[in-house]
Amino acid sequence: MVNISTINWVFVCGLSFCLGGIAVLSLMPLGSDCICPLSNPLAKLVGSGPVQKSAPVTPAPKGQEHDHSTAAHKMAVLVPFRDRFEELLQFVPHITGFLKRQGVAHHIFVLNQVDRFRFNRASLINVGFQFCHEVYDYIAMHDVDLLPRNDDLLYEYPSNLGPLHIAGPKLHPKYHYDNFVGGILLVRREHFQKMNGMSNQYWGWGLEDDEFFVRIRDAGLQVTRPQNIKTGVNDTFGHIHNRHHRKRDTQKCFNQKEMTRKRDHKTGLDNVKYKILKVQGLTIDGIDITVLNIMLDCDVNKTPWCDCSGTAAAASVVQT
């Protein structure tokens, strides 16, 4: 005869298993449906060159279209991403609440690099822009580990002068040189196109923003920054990156150091090579975001520093 304690134990274990399954399912991404209101999204699923690939996209489920048709301007928050899930869990509810208080029509696109090459923030932003630019008329190039705390930092549509740098050198907790344009930069659609986006040569961490500053200048534009901000470098942003847990990939190999100190006139928005393997919907704290699983392509004859170890190319075949 089975005693009461055994029955209770079985019941508790079964209930825990069911609740655990529900929790896992709630965090799992949806299928390959595009849940953003893109015009002709199929055209955005393929990059230029030999890695082109088509992928089916079905209409957005009713009620999940993120329709901002009444807004004068619509901002795509582009978040370059790889293996930063804990930070994403903090970023999404924080930035959503921050932008809602300002009434900014927006949607978050997580640009998830799934190939085995070194991280390429600039190329991911180029891909994200290609995917969403027909619907969103300005973008926020946004680090996932930088959380704005001062509500006077307005994520407004940039002026005719040029990009609006939210995380200026007098406000950013770490970088304070005059030409710094990293962290959070808002760019109008036509300005990003005029500059041919960002360089695709920057594999690994750093310097792509410095090259982009030169593109801004060469395009006859200028960087603007928020005015009359009363906070400073210590209290304007939360910087949630743990440099001990996730070290920056600062390695320099081959002729990378020499080549990435120059203005790149050869690569940009018009020739970034990639595949989007899947477009996924993900909900975090009740907030719908879109994840693009992006496989970048690298020509090792032109930028061998995308793979300092020499093994990434063979390992970059991802099952779709």
Side-chain angles (χ1 to χ4, degrees):
M1 183 175 179
V2 181
N3 58 40
I4 296 298
S5 62
T6 301
I7 294 175
N8 289 340
W9 181 83
V10 171
F11 175 77
V12 170
C13 288
L15 180 61
S16 299
F17 178 81
C18 291
L19 292 175
I22 292 171
V24 170
L25 287 173
S26 68
L27 289 174
M28 287 177 63
L30 305 177
S32 59
D33 295 346
C34 176
I35 63 168
C36 49
L38 300 179
S39 174
N40 190 20
L42 184 58
K44 302 301 176 294
L45 289 177
V46 233
S48 60
V51 295
Q52 292 185 349
K53 177 182 177 180
S54 61
V57 177
T58 57
K62 186 175 181 181
Q64 295 186 13
E65 302 89 346
H66 304 282
D67 182 13
H68 305 301
S69 57
T70 60
H73 299 288
K74 298 175 282 290
M75 180 177 69
V77 181
L78 303 183
V79 184
F81 184 86
R82 177 186 265 174
D83 300 331
R84 308 283 287 273
F85 190 64
E86 297 93 336
E87 294 170 8
L88 186 67
L89 291 178
Q90 296 181 63
F91 173 81
V92 169
H94 181 93
I95 196 64
T96 298
F98 187 87
L99 295 176
K100 278 188 175 180
R101 289 194 296 273
Q102 297 184 13
V104 176
H106 72 282
H107 186 65
I108 299 171
F109 296 87
V110 177
L111 313 175
N112 183 33
Q113 185 174 339
V114 298
D115 55 79
R116 297 299 182 266
F117 295 114
R118 300 172 73 193
F119 190 64
N120 192 323
R121 177 178 179 270
S123 287
L124 292 174
I125 291 171
N126 285 338
V127 174
F129 180 87
Q130 286 197 12
F131 185 83
C132 69
H133 78 276
E134 289 190 12
V135 170
Y136 297 87
D137 58 353
Y138 71 117
I139 63 171
M141 300 155 49
H142 212 303
D143 288 354
V144 71
D145 59 5
L146 199 60
L147 308 181
R149 291 175 173 170
N150 188 330
D151 283 328
D152 291 332
L153 296 171
L154 301 181
Y155 282 56
E156 59 192 356
Y157 187 65
S159 72
N160 290 327
L161 295 175
L164 172 59
H165 189 210
I166 299 294
K170 294 182 179 180
L171 303 175
H172 194 280
K174 189 171 183 180
Y175 302 109
H176 309 131
Y177 57 96
D178 290 341
N179 294 346
F180 173 66
V181 291
I184 309 167
L185 185 68
L186 277 51
V187 188
R188 286 166 62 153
R189 174 171 51 200
E190 62 270 24
H191 289 167
F192 197 78
Q193 292 169 325
K194 183 178 183 179
M195 293 180 281
N196 193 25
M198 304 186 76
S199 169
N200 298 311
Q201 294 193 48
Y202 289 82
W203 302 88
W205 181 82
L207 296 181
E208 78 284 342
D209 292 319
D210 294 344
E211 198 274 348
F212 193 61
F213 177 84
V214 180
R215 291 187 179 221
I216 295 171
R217 183 194 64 192
D218 289 353
L221 302 171
Q222 66 183 64
V223 177
T224 63
R225 294 189 169 105
Q227 301 298 311
N228 302 316
I229 302 300
K230 304 303 182 183
T231 52
V233 297
N234 296 319
D235 53 357
T236 303
F237 297 98
H239 195 212
I240 59 175
H241 177 77
N242 187 328
R243 62 185 179 89
H244 300 291
H245 180 52
R246 289 189 177 89
K247 294 184 178 180
R248 307 290 194 188
D249 177 11
T250 58
Q251 181 180 7
K252 298 292 185 287
C253 61
F254 300 97
N255 60 334
Q256 179 179 8
K257 188 173 182 179
E258 173 191 354
M259 294 301 294
T260 55
R261 292 287 180 180
K262 302 176 180 178
R263 164 71 158 91
D264 175 16
H265 293 278
K266 296 181 179 179
T267 75
L269 180 65
D270 63 354
N271 59 7
V272 59
K273 304 293 194 300
Y274 67 95
K275 300 176 187 176
I276 293 181
L277 300 184
K278 189 174 287 188
V279 180
Q280 298 177 302
L282 181 63
T283 300
I284 297 176
D285 287 358
I287 301 161
D288 294 332
I289 66 174
T290 298
V291 180
L292 307 183
N293 286 336
I294 300 167
M295 178 186 285
L296 297 176
D297 182 52
C298 171
D299 186 340
V300 294
N301 294 314
K302 295 180 179 179
T303 56
W305 54 88
C306 68
D307 182 13
C308 290
S309 66
T311 61
S316 63
V317 179
V318 177
Q319 296 296 322
T320 60

